[in-house]
Amino acid sequence: MINSIPPVVPAGRMRALPQPEFELPGGLLLRPWAVRDVPALVESCLDPDIRHWNRPALLTPAEAEERIARWHARWHDEEAAIWAVAPATGGPAVGLIGIGDLDLAGGSGEILYWLLPAGRGRGAMVAATERVSRWAFEDLGLHRIRITHSVANPASCAIATKAGFPLEGTMRGALLHADGWHDEHLHARLRTDAPV
């Protein structure tokens, strides 16, 4: 059967684009992850808040380097776009933001993010979410981007709301954390929504 609905984002569009860098307020930069960020990635897997809400596996430095290489490959394979949140003056990453679960044909993806303590409290993730969303809509051509998070995580809820992602509903028992099943909020923006 031939699909009569054309893809929202044609295959090959993302891999044809270089992964951009974006300046953020507060002297921060979104850039591709690099080998120099290995210690920050290893540290993120030990941070109690990141571990609780994002459930990462512990990584050795070698495994962290492999993961960074895999993120670069996932850009080329059009599966995900992952950025480091880092000081614009140089230095290791203080956070991560990306769009995963990409469905280019269907025009959707899901934003994911975390910050190490050194990156928290500056509004960096709201600005990063706004900027990555703008890129995903305007440059890549997605139609819908979602953010999901545990209802017990008010910080993620505040980021999503401030970045212009209205709450659409609650998904019951949607994600298993170390302390049991959590309901999750679902936030989303459409390319046609008014700018933030």
Side-chain angles (χ1 to χ4, degrees):
M1 176 190 281
I2 296 174
N3 190 347
S4 62
I5 300 173
V8 176
V9 177
R13 177 181 289 174
M14 184 171 158
R15 85 172 48 94
L17 299 170
Q19 186 171 0
E21 294 187 355
F22 303 114
E23 291 184 13
L24 297 177
L28 293 172
L29 177 73
L30 297 183
R31 59 163 173 77
W33 281 78
V35 172
R36 70 181 183 267
D37 299 310
V38 162
L41 186 53
V42 170
E43 179 186 351
S44 74
C45 299
L46 300 172
D47 180 81
D49 288 332
I50 294 172
R51 284 190 59 74
H52 185 71
W53 301 121
N54 296 275
R55 308 172 315 143
L58 297 177
L59 296 174
T60 66
E63 290 167 335
E65 189 170 342
E66 288 173 13
R67 179 160 298 174
I68 290 169
R70 193 164 55 247
W71 287 336
H72 289 274
R74 291 185 78 201
W75 175 279
H76 182 265
D77 295 341
E78 301 186 315
E79 296 173 348
I82 308 294
W83 283 268
V85 181
T89 55
V94 297
L96 173 147
I97 186 166
I99 300 181
D101 198 23
L102 274 174
D103 174 5
L104 296 184
S108 69
E110 180 170 357
I111 288 190
L112 49 121
Y113 46 69
W114 53 255
L115 284 170
L116 288 165
R120 296 176 189 156
R122 297 189 265 177
M125 200 47 72
V126 172
T129 301
E130 290 170 347
R131 188 61 190 95
V132 167
S133 300
R134 195 162 71 244
W135 170 83
F137 288 137
E138 295 174 4
D139 297 333
L140 186 57
L142 294 184
H143 170 71
R144 177 181 167 87
I145 303 170
R146 69 188 174 278
I147 296 173
T148 61
H149 63 83
S150 168
V151 297
N153 186 349
S156 278
C157 197
I159 290 166
T161 303
K162 289 177 184 176
F165 283 72
L167 179 63
E168 291 189 338
T170 300
M171 300 179 294
R172 296 178 305 124
L175 191 62
L176 182 61
H177 287 267
D179 60 351
W181 289 98
H182 282 229
D183 292 353
E184 286 203 305
H185 279 162
L186 170 63
H187 300 257
R189 279 188 64 74
L190 302 179
R191 180 173 39 191
T192 53
D193 287 344
V196 177

